[in-house]
Amino acid sequence: IAAVMAGAKPEYMPLLLAVMASGVAYGNSTTSMANTIIVNGPIRQELGMNAGTNAMGPYNHVNSVVGRFFTLCGKIAADLRNDVTAVESLGSNLQYNSLTIAENEELLPEGWQPLHVQMGFKPEDSVVTIGIGLTYISSVGEVQIGYPPQNLMRDYMHALSSSGSAATIVMDPTVAKLLKEVHGFQKKEDLSAWLSGNVEKTV
């Protein structure tokens, strides 16, 4: 029923069922919590998901429907109603359809593995990853050689709370290419290690 309400086509159902079978609960908090859904593997192309220009925009039917479906299921299953069981302060506009994206695996720099391969799956596996977050920073501005993108990421990460916060970095393929070819990050893990050693918070 939720799939029909969200506008899903029958061919979307394997992905929608995988989203719900993940067991990840729809996020609800007094802060501006929202969810993210990241899709990897052949299912991206089979369904026609957008992993290119405007990947986070509302213009691709599959991306929008999958996120909206998860939101509807979460609201129904948790009986989320404003000022009754949903008590966010400001809320998050991302809750309308979650942040649903497909990783642009084809444009990853050589040596940069897709998320699902990093997690131990095979490249040919179709995998959905769901995360719960509290907020997001949408842009690092103009990325250029003069002020490297890793420095911009570091600067924004300084704004995170020191009490158990984590960050998910989503970047355009051109930024990944710049990080590898100009700044020497041969793998995603190299960037993670650099950020780990250069972002400090006072507890």
Side-chain angles (χ1 to χ4, degrees):
I1 292 171
V4 173
M5 290 173 63
K9 297 178 180 179
E11 55 266 33
Y12 299 178
M13 287 307 295
L15 177 55
L16 300 182
L17 292 172
V19 167
M20 296 312 297
S22 69
V24 177
Y26 183 79
N28 181 46
S29 170
T30 53
T31 53
S32 303
M33 178 177 280
N35 299 86
T36 183
I37 299 172
I38 304 171
V39 182
N40 285 97
I43 193 79
R44 302 166 302 130
Q45 295 173 326
E46 292 170 9
L47 297 182
M49 296 188 77
N50 178 19
T53 303
N54 209 359
M56 292 185 180
Y59 306 104
N60 180 274
H61 191 260
V62 188
N63 295 38
S64 298
V65 165
V66 172
R68 182 64 179 149
F69 165 79
F70 186 57
T71 297
L72 288 172
C73 287
K75 288 174 65 177
I76 293 166
D79 188 29
L80 293 177
R81 289 174 286 149
N82 194 44
D83 287 334
V84 179
T85 49
V87 290
E88 292 99 338
S89 174
L90 292 176
S92 173
N93 196 56
L94 287 177
Q95 288 182 332
Y96 279 106
N97 65 347
S98 306
L99 174 58
T100 304
I101 57 175
E103 186 170 13
N104 197 332
E105 300 173 21
E106 291 71 26
L107 288 186
L108 285 171
E110 186 178 352
W112 285 46
Q113 295 181 329
L115 176 62
H116 69 311
V117 175
Q118 286 182 279
M119 297 170 61
F121 293 93
K122 297 176 183 176
E124 62 270 20
D125 291 337
S126 291
V127 179
V128 62
T129 304
I130 301 176
I132 298 174
L134 299 179
T135 186
Y136 76 104
I137 301 170
S138 64
S139 175
V140 295
E142 183 180 352
V143 173
Q144 53 187 318
I145 296 173
Y147 196 71
Q150 68 269 24
N151 288 358
L152 287 166
M153 295 172 190
R154 175 203 62 199
D155 295 347
Y156 278 106
M157 289 174 73
H158 278 304
L160 296 174
S161 166
S162 60
S163 57
S165 289
T168 299
I169 297 174
V170 182
M171 69 182 77
D172 184 281
T174 58
V175 176
K177 183 177 180 181
L178 182 64
L179 283 165
K180 179 182 180 182
E181 296 182 0
V182 176
H183 301 291
F185 295 99
Q186 299 302 309
K187 301 178 293 181
K188 287 182 184 178
E189 292 81 358
D190 295 339
L191 176 60
S192 296
W194 186 89
L195 289 169
S196 178
N198 287 275
V199 178
E200 294 183 357
K201 294 292 292 184
T202 301
V203 177

